[in-house]
Amino acid sequence: MMLLRARRATALSAALVAVTLAAAACGGTTKDSNEDTAAGPASSASANPDAPLKEGLKIAFLPKQVNNPYFTVADKGGEKAVKEFKGEYKEVGPSDASASSQVQYINTLTQQGQDGICVSANDANAVVPALTQARQRGVKVVTFDSDAAKAGRDAFVNQADPEALGRTEVQLLAKQIGEKGKIAILSATPNATNQNAWIEFMKDELKKYPGMQLVKVAYGNDDDQKSFQETQGLLQAYPDLKGIISPTTVGIAAAARYLSSSPYKGKVALTGLGTPNQMRQYVKDGTVKEFELWDPAKLGYLCAYAAAALSSGQITGAEGEKFKAGELGEYTIGKDGAILLGPPQVFDAKNIDQFNF
């Protein structure tokens, strides 16, 4: 996904401690689970790469928040994959991205006897007890987008190398502001594992640009209105701000909406992670020059196939194991059970109409 100068690191470190996530709406019908002691540890059986994918596998997707446009696309990709291998797909999730909001859904999915759960963790640690109980009952757990602690999952589908992503975000902005001026970061939640990892690499990359000064990291909690207000607050506090990086699809769209109708349009550069459909109007009206993202549909698609491969015994999540993910081809599991989707794509006025997600 990156048409940039960034390079993919070969091995990912997929076990960060912390986490948090995304945005939208849905009440759901999940009930709190009973206090069960579960039966023994997760299976340690060896992998059989020649085993066929089982039919009828029940794969559930649990995003950070339902109705978040990013996760809607990702989960649709998962649904496509589940249909391909003749499984049963479902999506459930909270309407807020608080640390513990996903726990009751995990418990219910475990009670329902799901074969696999694909989850983007709101908090790396808060979900671990529930995920551990699920695994003890034979449920295969694959995290995607935002990881949980290793103890709570079998594998992690990582959208991009966190170092490459963090560094290229800074490089994109530096190019737009001439490598000079005050900048800010508008992130999701303070506990979001993925954003925090990217931000650490952003800070390190900024050491190469002595003319650029990071004045604040703000948090919009992956809420549209909160992110809009945080953008407004940043410009009130720092009227000479030259650029903003928002590594969250909700945040960058809200920031673009504010800038597009403010006196700062064309004066404050904005980049980050966004979907083409969200950002198209802001690219075309000159509010945003460049931003980037992987294809979230492919991320969900890959997660579903990883869960199916685990449930079918083709892989166990060990480093070096290989499996086929439908039309995406073969993938190799890296360190700590990490599976790398691939490089991100940079979007600008020249290519944005080539994409529809």
Side-chain angles (χ1 to χ4, degrees), residues 79-253:
E79 183 177 15
K80 176 184 176 182
V82 173
K83 287 181 178 178
E84 287 180 0
F85 55 73
K86 298 180 175 61
E88 297 180 25
Y89 166 88
K90 78 181 314 180
E91 180 201 45
V92 296
S95 56
D96 67 274
S98 62
S100 61
S101 62
Q102 294 171 309
V103 171
Q104 63 173 333
Y105 293 94
I106 296 168
N107 290 338
T108 297
L109 292 171
T110 301
Q111 291 175 339
Q112 291 172 346
Q114 297 294 313
D115 294 294
I117 298 175
C118 290
V119 55
S120 182
N122 277 324
D123 186 282
N125 299 305
V127 294
V128 169
L131 290 177
T132 298
Q133 188 176 74
R135 295 177 70 210
Q136 287 173 336
R137 292 189 173 188
V139 181
K140 301 303 180 182
V141 176
V142 184
T143 52
F144 72 101
D145 182 75
S146 185
D147 199 10
K150 281 191 299 181
R153 48 77 166 170
D154 296 283
F156 168 47
V157 177
N158 197 351
Q159 57 270 42
D161 174 16
E163 178 173 1
L165 195 64
R167 295 189 187 283
T168 57
E169 292 282 277
V170 172
Q171 292 164 12
L172 281 172
L173 187 63
K175 180 173 65 173
Q176 295 177 40
I177 65 173
E179 302 183 6
K180 295 180 181 179
K182 296 177 181 178
I183 69 166
I185 296 172
L186 175 62
S187 190
T189 60
N191 297 328
T193 305
N194 49 354
Q195 273 97 358
N196 287 343
W198 302 331
I199 289 170
E200 286 307 306
F201 286 115
M202 289 180 201
K203 290 178 178 178
D204 188 65
E205 184 68 12
L206 279 168
K207 295 175 183 177
K208 301 176 184 178
Y209 300 92
M212 294 170 62
Q213 178 189 0
L214 176 62
V215 294
K216 186 172 182 178
V217 178
Y219 299 96
N221 294 337
D222 258 347
D223 176 82
D224 177 76
Q225 190 58 33
K226 170 73 170 168
S227 298
F228 183 94
Q229 292 169 348
E230 287 294 327
T231 305
Q232 184 179 38
L234 283 171
L235 291 165
Q236 289 175 343
Y238 306 99
D240 55 347
L241 199 68
K242 294 298 182 183
I244 298 172
I245 299 173
S246 187
T248 156
T249 58
V250 175
I252 192 173

